[in-house]
Amino acid sequence: LALGSFLNVVAHRVPARRSLVRPRSACGSCGHEIAARDNIPVLSYLLLRGRCRNCSASISLVYPLVEALTAALAVACVAAFGLTAYAALAFGFCAVLVTLSVIDVQHRIVPNRIVLPAAAVVLVAHTAIDPSPEWVLGALGASGFLFAAALAYPKGLGMGDVKLALLLGAMLGASVAVALFVGFLAALVPAVVLFARHGSAARKMAVPLVPFLSLGALVALFFGEALLDRYLSLF
């Protein structure tokens, strides 16, 4: 929960190129510094009923959702992988996905300052934990696939998605195929809704892709090998 609270700070300040340390967190409406008692993850939001104690401005529901989701993913990683180095790596991967998803929804960007170092750290750490060329091949294969798609249809994919694919491939290896399939399939849902509501004008409306690719990555992280094996067993 505490790390989820920090991820909110990262998602808010990195796109604005502000320090993650100073100044202390403050209300976005009145600028009043948030007291420690009002900065307890999830609980403070509930006690304050989603409003600033000083000016009563509404506090975005995104903040407690990020905190709760981060905590849930931490529990899921330990439950699935035990108290292991891989579980720690998996949780770090999940935390980056949560952060990038929030940033993409709010700003439509994938910051290089987060995704590229994360991809490098995950690749090195995963190779150290489980030495195999699969992780670097997964990173290059996934990013190469999306790069080709971005060249073919630059309005549909950005280079940020290509860089995110580096991170996904480094963590998931062959299972990155599951992540991409599930992610693009999930992204069809809002695309169909927009097309149904706005017709041909929907072609000019952007849908943030990172949250959907992140959803696919989570499915692949916890169930990817089983899904891939079951698919390959059909042939």
Side-chain angles (χ1 to χ4, degrees), residues 151-178:
L151 290 179
Y153 186 55
K155 293 183 179 180
L157 285 173
M159 290 306 298
D161 301 316
V162 175
K163 296 165 188 173
L164 176 64
L166 275 174
L167 172 62
L168 302 188
M171 183 67 203
L172 302 171
S175 295
V176 73
V178 175

Side-chain angles (χ1 to χ4, degrees), residues 50-127:
R51 295 192 174 276
C52 172
R53 183 185 297 275
N54 187 62
C55 68
S56 297
S58 177
I59 301 172
S60 174
L61 186 59
V62 170
Y63 293 110
L65 287 179
V66 167
E67 293 163 354
L69 178 59
T70 304
L73 289 172
V75 173
C77 288
V78 173
F81 310 118
L83 292 173
T84 62
Y86 183 78
L89 175 62
F91 176 57
F93 174 69
C94 292
V96 173
L97 294 182
V98 170
T99 307
L100 292 177
S101 295
V102 173
I103 292 174
D104 192 35
V105 168
Q106 295 180 340
H107 303 282
R108 298 294 194 274
I109 60 173
V110 183
N112 288 336
R113 293 201 295 170
I114 296 177
V115 68
L116 293 180
V121 169
V122 166
L123 180 59
V124 171
H126 204 172
T127 302

